[in-house]
Amino acid sequence: MMVKENPVNGLKQLAKKLTASSQNLLAAFLDDDFKAKQKHQEILKQIELAYQQQSFVVLQLTNGIEPNPTFETTYGYIKPHPNNPDLIILNEEQDGGIRMIQTKSIVKISFLNKKKSNLSEDQVVEEPAIRKIK
């Protein structure tokens, strides 16, 4: 024998599902914000490392305007802005200009490390002599 489900019970289940889905939506929204902050912190670390190593940097920038953001690639040498930690100063290689860039507009950063020699210019490295095998 089948028992009819109470309509009040069905409404309770529907209300629980709606509540759970709205909570999941809120959690997903907050999680995306957390991921964006983590990515921004990683970019800031890379900027600091590139500046310390005086590396040549390639930046991919965005204007962030939705729904069709535009992207730009630029390159040169960077240094932090002395008064604003959210800005960097880029000495552009393509036209020799100086440009201030907001760190939140940086999507991707790549840089080349300068190889620093442990030897001074006065030191001479001698190659070991080749020994003949008898």
Side-chain angles (χ1 to χ4, degrees):
M1 170 176 9
M2 285 179 69
V3 179
K4 284 190 175 180
E5 201 174 296
N6 190 354
V8 175
N9 229 1
L11 287 175
K12 285 183 181 178
Q13 289 178 354
L14 179 62
K16 285 182 183 179
K17 287 182 181 179
L18 286 174
T19 303
S21 65
S22 64
Q23 288 174 348
N24 288 339
L25 182 63
L26 179 63
F29 174 76
L30 294 175
D31 189 42
D32 285 345
D33 191 39
F34 177 72
K35 287 179 184 176
K37 285 182 182 178
Q38 268 188 326
K39 184 177 180 182
H40 186 256
Q41 289 298 319
E42 184 61 34
I43 287 175
L44 290 176
K45 287 179 187 176
Q46 290 179 340
I47 288 171
E48 182 64 29
L49 182 63
Y51 173 68
Q52 288 175 354
Q53 295 177 354
Q54 298 177 349
S55 299
F56 181 79
V57 176
V58 178
L59 301 172
Q60 183 180 22
L61 309 172
T62 183
N63 66 0
I65 299 172
E66 294 295 332
N68 298 322
T70 59
F71 295 93
E72 172 190 3
T73 302
T74 187
Y75 51 91
Y77 293 91
I78 60 172
K79 65 179 180 178
H81 190 279
N83 300 324
N84 189 347
D86 293 330
L87 290 175
I88 61 168
I89 300 170
L90 176 71
N91 293 326
E92 293 181 312
E93 280 291 308
Q94 60 262 40
D95 62 5
I98 296 175
R99 182 173 171 186
M100 285 203 273
I101 299 172
Q102 291 184 342
T103 57
K104 67 181 179 182
S105 69
I106 299 172
V107 177
K108 193 183 279 188
I109 179 172
S110 300
F111 55 92
L112 299 172
N113 295 335
K114 284 186 176 179
K115 288 188 177 181
K116 294 185 179 180
S117 174
N118 291 336
L119 304 173
S120 70
E121 293 178 9
D122 298 329
Q123 290 178 316
V124 177
V125 178
E126 294 182 17
E127 298 211 11
I130 298 175
R131 295 182 183 168
K132 293 182 182 179
I133 301 175
K134 293 183 182 181

